[in-house]
Amino acid sequence: MTMLIRKLESIATLSDEERQTILRLPVRTRVLNVGQDIVRDGDKPSQSCLILDGWACRYKMLDGGRRQIMSFHIPGDIPDLQSLHLHTMDHSLATLTKSTIAFIPHESLRELTTRFPGIASVLWRDTLVDGGIFREWMVGMGRKSAFGRIAHLFCEMYLKLEAVGLAGEHRCPWPITQIDFGDALGLSNVHVNRTLQEMRGQGLITLRGCTLVIQAWDELIRASEFDPTYLHLEKRAT
């Protein structure tokens, strides 16, 4: 549960008592392989999932097997927190890598938020940050070039990873495939490949294996018109 505390303390402040209470939450842990659904569109879950290790995505499936990814999630995220109040899932969550997932009963979360209004406020803040991320993605899909969309995603995910201690010195894990890029940003595989080659050619990034190195942070920010305000992080890359 320390990953949840890291995530929440990246956007707010918790007291010692609040931290200890979060650590005592009852959870059931499962290890899921790549591409497994955590929760499906139409499900009525009685628990919310916390990512302890690995990456996941929020997505919708359309006719003909077309997938639209709506967000990427990393350790510390509770991507289906809204199921605490919205009882039927209107999208699915799946793993992008082999992942360890902790399932927290809704009953325990309700008790937690009733006893500790400060924690309820931080969880509410987290869902509002999610809304800010959706808005930024919408702007990118509607008004930015492929170059701008991909550069913006690099900046966003790097800062999120850095905030929970999983990135530093502009280097971070990057298990997102070109197909995932395309499904998230509305681009063809060819367009994604061409854009990544252009970024490499300009000396902005390198991608080796599952590691992203941002070689020119300031230039990437300018190219993507990235403003981290919407992430509301207390810790930021320098």
Side-chain angles (χ1 to χ4, degrees):
M1 299 301 290
T2 56
M3 287 309 305
L4 176 57
I5 291 173
R6 283 190 197 180
K7 167 61 187 292
L8 296 180
E9 289 195 320
S10 75
I11 59 171
T13 301
L14 297 173
S15 68
D16 288 340
E17 184 181 14
E18 288 169 337
R19 290 190 203 98
Q20 291 304 313
T21 302
I22 291 171
L23 289 173
R24 289 194 296 268
L25 278 171
V27 298
R28 178 176 60 88
T29 302
R30 288 183 60 196
V31 177
L32 301 180
N33 289 320
V34 180
Q36 279 192 259
D37 280 330
I38 304 168
V39 63
R40 295 184 178 91
D41 197 345
D43 283 354
K44 299 179 185 295
S46 60
Q47 55 196 0
S48 289
C49 67
L50 164 66
I51 302 173
L52 300 179
D53 185 55
W55 287 45
C57 69
R58 180 183 279 131
Y59 75 95
K60 290 276 287 188
M61 291 300 296
L62 304 175
D63 291 343
R66 294 170 297 159
R67 179 182 65 162
Q68 178 63 54
I69 291 177
M70 296 173 287
S71 55
F72 293 114
H73 295 279
I74 61 171
D77 286 351
I78 308 181
D80 63 343
L81 186 60
Q82 68 271 24
S83 68
L84 188 60
H85 299 291
L86 302 176
H87 303 304
T88 302
M89 292 293 294
D90 58 16
H91 61 276
S92 300
L93 295 169
T95 58
L96 291 170
T97 66
K98 186 175 182 179
S99 302
T100 304
I101 309 295
F103 294 92
I104 311 169
H106 284 168
E107 181 181 353
S108 299
L109 284 170
R110 291 191 186 98
E111 181 183 354
L112 176 72
T113 55
T114 299
R115 288 179 54 214
F116 293 90
I119 294 178
S121 178
V122 177
L123 292 174
W124 173 229
R125 181 180 174 90
D126 187 44
T127 62
L128 292 175
V129 171
D130 262 354
I133 292 172
F134 278 129
R135 288 188 290 275
E136 286 294 323
W137 279 42
M138 185 178 296
V139 171
M141 294 278 282
R143 289 292 178 259
K144 289 185 180 178
S145 66
F147 195 103
R149 289 180 226 176
I150 292 176
H152 196 278
L153 183 61
F154 282 146
C155 294
E156 176 181 291
M157 296 306 299
Y158 174 78
L159 286 186
K160 287 187 62 179
L161 288 159
E162 184 193 54
V164 293
L166 297 176
E169 298 181 347
H170 298 120
R171 179 186 297 268
C172 64
W174 196 264
I176 295 173
T177 68
Q178 291 189 16
I179 292 174
D180 297 333
F181 266 122
D183 287 352
L185 303 178
L187 301 169
S188 70
N189 195 39
V190 171
H191 205 165
V192 170
N193 184 273
R194 185 184 304 123
T195 304
L196 291 175
Q197 292 291 349
E198 184 180 355
M199 288 182 172
R200 291 187 184 99
Q202 293 183 20
L204 297 178
I205 59 118
T206 61
L207 271 171
R208 293 193 181 94
C210 291
T211 300
L212 166 69
V213 179
I214 300 174
Q215 296 174 299
W217 175 254
D218 291 340
E219 287 84 349
L220 204 67
I221 286 176
R222 283 194 291 271
S224 61
E225 300 180 78
F226 181 77
D227 179 352
T229 302
Y230 71 100
L231 294 173
H232 300 280
L233 294 172
E234 293 188 356
K235 294 183 285 184
R236 290 176 53 183
T238 56

